[in-house]
Amino acid sequence: NLNAVGTAEDSIVFSRRYSTGFQATWRGFSFVDADDDNELRFLVIEHATKPEFERGGGIYGTNSSLILTQSTLRYNHADYGGGAYFENCAPQIAACAFIENVANGGAGLGLSYAAASVRDCDFERNSAFYSGGGLYADGDSVISVGRCRFTGNDAWDGGGAAILQSP
């Protein structure tokens, strides 16, 4: 399991070291079949990029549960879920900011077959080529969204703020 916990005064920053070349890329966090004791709090996750057809630029989770609180995911890129993408998971997300992430769908946050709780989060200036600039959920996802702000998100094909799509 992973417990990365910073403080309000001193967040843990995960970013790329170089701005160009092979070493300029990092692929964010991946939780695959991880146990349920994973917590990320007071983090900044930025400039992560997944290759074409991969999901979850800053954070990717499948068959895992995660508590993500008081963190910022910004400037990340992926096919779906530029900031974060969860499938077959039950993430608990609170007091986070998803800022200027880019993806084909769910630029801020993407969910598929997920049971997610999203509370007190800000989705700002995320951009999706297809749908769900701020938030995208599909595949019978069951999500609870409360007290979140969606500002300046866009999607070329619809759902600038959010889109929920059934199978």
Side-chain angles (χ1 to χ4, degrees), residues 15-38:
S15 188
R16 64 183 182 208
R17 183 173 179 186
Y18 301 99
S19 61
T20 61
F22 175 74
Q23 296 172 330
T25 308
W26 84 285
R27 296 179 55 156
F29 290 97
S30 290
F31 295 89
V32 178
D33 299 321
D35 58 16
D36 291 340
D37 279 340
N38 299 292

Side-chain angles (χ1 to χ4, degrees), residues 24-87:
T25 308
W26 84 285
R27 296 179 55 156
F29 290 97
S30 290
F31 295 89
V32 178
D33 299 321
D35 58 16
D36 291 340
D37 279 340
N38 299 292
E39 180 181 6
L40 305 177
R41 186 167 18 131
F42 290 114
L43 303 186
V44 175
I45 299 170
E46 62 184 14
H47 299 291
T49 301
K50 290 285 173 65
E52 188 175 15
F53 305 116
E54 290 194 26
R55 299 171 181 207
I59 300 172
Y60 171 76
T62 183
N63 300 316
S64 305
S65 289
L66 175 71
I67 298 170
L68 174 64
T69 57
Q70 297 165 313
S71 295
T72 299
L73 288 85
R74 63 185 179 202
Y75 319 129
N76 301 296
H77 298 82
D79 189 35
Y80 277 84
Y85 186 88
F86 298 101
E87 59 187 346

Side-chain angles (χ1 to χ4, degrees), residues 93-125:
I93 303 167
C96 291
F98 296 83
I99 303 170
E100 293 186 27
N101 299 290
V102 177
N104 283 327
L109 174 62
L111 302 165
S112 183
Y113 297 97
S117 171
V118 183
R119 298 273 184 252
D120 301 309
C121 292
D122 292 325
F123 294 83
E124 300 176 15
R125 299 179 308 280

Side-chain angles (χ1 to χ4, degrees), residues 122-163:
D122 292 325
F123 294 83
E124 300 176 15
R125 299 179 308 280
N126 298 288
S127 184
F129 182 72
Y130 296 117
S131 53
L135 170 67
Y136 177 90
D138 70 6
D140 286 337
S141 291
V142 177
I143 62 172
S144 172
V145 178
R147 296 183 308 270
C148 292
R149 290 184 326 157
F150 293 83
T151 55
N153 300 288
D154 63 58
W156 181 79
D157 197 29
I163 191 163

